[in-house]
Amino acid sequence: MNDARDREIKESNRMRGKKHLKTTQEISGIVKEYYREREEKGRQPGQKIAWCGIAVPKQPLQAMDVLAYYPEQYGTVVATRGDPQRFIQVAEDFGLGREMCGYARITTGYILEGLPEDAPLGGMARPDMLITTSAVCDTRVKWWELMGELLEVPVFILEFAEMPPAGRDGAHINPEDMENIGIQIGRDDAPHTIEYTWENFAGYIAFLEEVCGRPTDQDRLDEITRASKRVSRIRREINEYRKNIPTPMGAADAFAAMFPGTYLPGTKMADEFYTRLRAEVRERMENRVGIVPEEKFRLVWSGIPFWYNMGLLNYFETRGGVVVIDTQYGCAALTSGNPLREPKRWGPNGMVASVVKAVIDYNCDGAVMSYTPTCRALYIVQQEIQNTLMEELGVPSLLLESDMVDASSFNEAQTMSRIDAFIEVVMEKAKERDWLPDPPPRYGPGE
Ligand code: SF4
């Protein structure tokens, strides 16, 4: 790609996201500190470093003092703070197709460039091991195997048993809601999948112990697991407050706020961060402080956001709308924090159900979906979500096609005109509501 085209992409496709809460403004510093600390500790003799897929349970890594980097998360760092095209181009010249996950192309390009020190936030330190899961997509398995060959380090794939949403213990799914609208609910009792999951977790722990050369400190792991559960509980409580009208916190802030809970779940820092955030969200809720002066329509975001263009979320605010909740990292993603005993429950039915449930629970008038052809796992199901929302609830939705980090796949003019047309439809839909303009306050659970 020539320089002029490169510049054009960088300048035209970026709208920075605007956060509305004080606490979420801290995230940029937290992410910088995360990379600084890893760079510093990573230089100490004997320190083990792992590059992990996002769904890898973090608690065993923390208990073993393994420094973890998450290549998908680093893809978002490059997309928001750097020049994703720099690494994407290298990966494509190597032979990865443009149809492949943008995160995988960025990381592969970064490796092929020799882990350059001038990469955003100093990059990721060279790993001793690579760990990922079979969860959600097949790309990640092949991507990790390729990285293992390029970096010449051992790779461990944690196989997850994937089940349809269970309902009763799936936390985010109410079986009656789903069954009423014809979505199949999976079985609760599947001992063979639980056994399979346990065996695979045992293999994961054994792999960590072998690479680190020491046994797991079980007491420490239990303590970190308890701390993770507390963090998940606080995050769920925050999400309850977000159901209020007007919502005290939207997805523009929430996408930023996911970082500590997702990547550092059992830490004091995460606990303190979400405790501060909960206090701020609750105060805004009690004082009925919303994101826009008059909340005219409410939206759900389904899928991964376009990290190079987070300002898209704020664009709805210029017309009185708020993206209230997302289902990728928001309501559906907060499990109980027990890393060792639960088969993962996801798959197409679960994804459809989580968006339907979010529309109902958060009183939304429409859904915006990132339609990412480079992520088959999420792409295929979005159409089904769109059909279900319209057929079962009469709720309109909008599919926006682009990769999540490859800005060259984003067509700004087309996207903005489609959003403008969609807003007109949603505002009509919102007029059916009887809670506007002065809804009664609704409250989430207390302390
Ligand atoms: S974005 Fe999609 S394809 Fe890429 S790693 Fe995540 S689930 Fe897999």
Side-chain angles (χ1 to χ4, degrees), residues 251-281:
D253 285 82
F255 275 124
M258 68 179 252
F259 182 85
T262 306
Y263 300 105
L264 297 162
T267 61
K268 188 162 173 273
M269 185 279 286
D271 195 306
E272 291 174 353
F273 172 82
Y274 290 109
T275 301
R276 281 196 302 284
L277 183 61
R278 176 177 60 184
E280 185 181 0
V281 174

Side-chain angles (χ1 to χ4, degrees), residues 72 101 103 136-137 139-140 143 304 374-378 404:
E72 291 121 298
C101 169
Y103 295 145
V136 182
C137 81
T139 298
R140 226 172 337 222
W143 167 20
I304 302 172
T374 48
C375 173
R376 289 189 301 279
L378 302 180
M404 66 298 275

Side-chain angles (χ1 to χ4, degrees), residues 14-261:
R14 301 260 180 117
M15 281 199 286
R16 278 193 166 274
K18 179 180 171 217
K19 301 179 200 82
H20 294 271
L21 276 68
K22 278 198 232 52
T23 314
T24 53
Q25 313 281 340
E26 298 170 19
I27 286 294
S28 179
I30 289 172
V31 175
K32 266 193 210 152
E33 175 57 20
Y34 177 90
Y35 280 88
R36 191 206 60 74
E37 191 192 15
R38 268 153 182 68
E39 198 186 359
E40 191 181 301
K41 283 193 185 162
R43 284 196 295 265
Q44 289 170 12
Q47 175 63 59
K48 296 296 180 195
I49 296 172
W51 287 12
C52 302
I54 188 171
V56 169
K58 323 290 183 299
Q59 296 84 352
L61 297 163
Q62 291 168 322
M64 296 287 279
D65 283 323
V66 171
L67 279 188
Y69 289 92
Y70 299 90
E72 291 121 298
Q73 196 279 328
Y74 190 61
T76 72
V77 167
V78 175
T80 51
R81 297 171 191 250
D83 172 11
Q85 257 53 45
R86 169 184 172 185
F87 298 129
I88 284 173
Q89 195 59 51
V90 174
E92 289 179 3
D93 291 345
F94 175 71
L96 299 195
R98 292 201 75 200
E99 313 71 35
M100 192 170 177
C101 169
Y103 295 145
R105 281 179 287 150
I106 284 182
T107 316
T108 305
Y110 171 66
I111 294 169
L112 291 166
E113 269 214 19
L115 318 187
E117 280 177 17
D118 68 343
L121 298 184
M124 299 183 285
R126 185 170 288 279
D128 300 288
M129 62 190 120
L130 302 174
I131 306 167
T132 192
T133 66
S134 64
V136 182
C137 81
D138 54 343
T139 298
R140 226 172 337 222
V141 173
K142 288 292 156 201
W143 167 20
W144 253 251
E145 286 173 359
L146 172 63
M147 290 197 295
E149 278 174 30
L150 294 173
L151 292 162
E152 298 180 347
V153 293
V155 180
F156 183 80
I157 311 287
L158 174 57
E159 298 278 350
F160 277 149
E162 300 199 15
M163 302 167 71
R168 281 164 285 279
D169 62 352
H172 58 288
I173 310 284
N174 174 349
E176 279 159 26
D177 282 352
M178 297 304 113
E179 276 161 9
N180 284 343
I181 60 170
I183 293 175
Q184 182 203 339
I185 300 298
R187 291 170 46 175
D188 272 351
D189 56 335
H192 58 290
T193 61
I194 293 171
E195 197 178 314
Y196 179 76
T197 303
W198 284 359
E199 278 171 15
N200 275 280
F201 273 113
Y204 168 44
I205 299 290
F207 173 80
L208 280 179
E209 290 177 341
E210 190 183 330
V211 177
C212 295
R214 58 180 182 278
T216 308
D217 179 340
Q218 191 57 47
D219 290 344
R220 187 147 180 245
L221 178 56
D222 291 345
E223 191 188 312
I224 290 168
T225 301
R226 276 195 298 277
S228 304
K229 284 185 174 185
R230 182 179 142 79
V231 165
S232 287
R233 270 200 307 276
I234 300 172
R235 293 180 75 193
R236 280 202 292 274
E237 193 177 334
I238 292 169
N239 278 351
E240 284 299 307
Y241 297 155
R242 293 169 67 191
K243 291 178 180 172
N244 282 268
I245 300 169
T247 191
M249 178 170 119
D253 285 82
F255 275 124
M258 68 179 252
F259 182 85

